[in-house]
Amino acid sequence: MSDWRRIDIDAFDPESGRLTKEDLQPPAVKPITLQELQPRIAQLRSCATSGDFVRGVKLATIDPPYGSDNDTKLQYFLAVLELLTQVRQADIAGVVQQLDQSQQEVLIKYLYKGMSLAEGQKQGGVLLSWFEKVTQKSGVNPISRFLSDRRTI
């Protein structure tokens, strides 16, 4: 019994379900085209220019385009990034306070996407400020949900 650490105890449990490739597939979502998103992109830009940031962030985080192709997602993300960068540092906490849990989780997805793209890295300090305010309000829960969610923005 010196090699007891190498025993696969899950192999002896019939209730232990192994994950299949189907289990690892992202959930099915309705595809959305760029033409369908253009009115929302225009609304996001309107909110950014008019200073209605709470409404804009809520609009951006209510129904993200999970089913779109990568180019459409990028166009939508750029509009969201434009909105997020227009908010003053002092107002970020107030905007985050008005978001519910699911909206904060979507916002975290946008922040991570922004940090991974060159367009967002140019605004890294702003994105980190948003990140800080979300984690101050909700802790690490949105981050763990982001890591486990297979739907991408």
Side-chain angles (χ1 to χ4, degrees):
M1 254 344 219
S2 63
D3 61 345
W4 60 272
R5 292 185 184 126
R6 299 183 195 274
I7 297 175
D8 182 13
I9 60 169
D10 291 331
F12 299 108
D13 184 11
E15 298 291 319
S16 171
R18 301 285 182 173
L19 292 176
T20 64
K21 287 185 180 181
E22 291 81 28
D23 293 333
L24 298 175
Q25 294 298 319
V29 291
K30 179 186 167 242
I32 300 172
T33 64
L34 184 58
Q35 290 77 20
E36 294 172 329
L37 281 178
Q38 284 298 343
R40 286 184 57 193
I41 290 173
Q43 284 181 322
L44 288 174
R45 290 193 171 129
S46 172
C47 289
T49 57
S50 68
D52 192 4
F53 302 120
V54 174
R55 189 179 80 121
V57 173
K58 284 185 176 186
L59 176 69
T61 57
I62 291 228
D63 188 23
Y66 289 125
S68 300
D69 62 13
N70 288 334
D71 292 333
T72 303
K73 288 180 182 181
L74 179 63
Q75 292 302 316
Y76 190 75
F77 169 74
L78 291 176
V80 172
L81 180 65
E82 180 182 338
L83 173 72
L84 294 177
T85 56
Q86 295 294 323
V87 180
R88 294 181 318 160
Q89 297 279 340
D91 297 335
I92 292 174
V95 173
V96 170
Q97 289 297 326
Q98 297 186 32
L99 300 177
D100 63 18
Q101 179 182 353
S102 65
Q103 291 170 329
Q104 291 173 13
E105 292 169 11
V106 173
L107 181 59
I108 286 289
K109 290 179 183 182
Y110 283 122
L111 298 175
Y112 271 114
K113 181 169 184 125
M115 289 184 236
S116 70
L117 297 175
E119 294 88 354
Q121 290 172 0
K122 293 175 186 173
Q123 303 293 333
V126 175
L127 295 179
L128 287 174
S129 295
W130 279 97
F131 193 82
E132 175 189 19
K133 299 304 179 190
V134 173
T135 55
Q136 282 177 352
K137 182 173 189 277
S138 299
V140 296
N141 294 335
I143 298 168
S144 61
R145 288 187 191 94
F146 163 76
L147 292 172
S148 64
D149 195 356
R150 293 178 304 225
R151 297 173 298 172
T152 60
I153 291 184

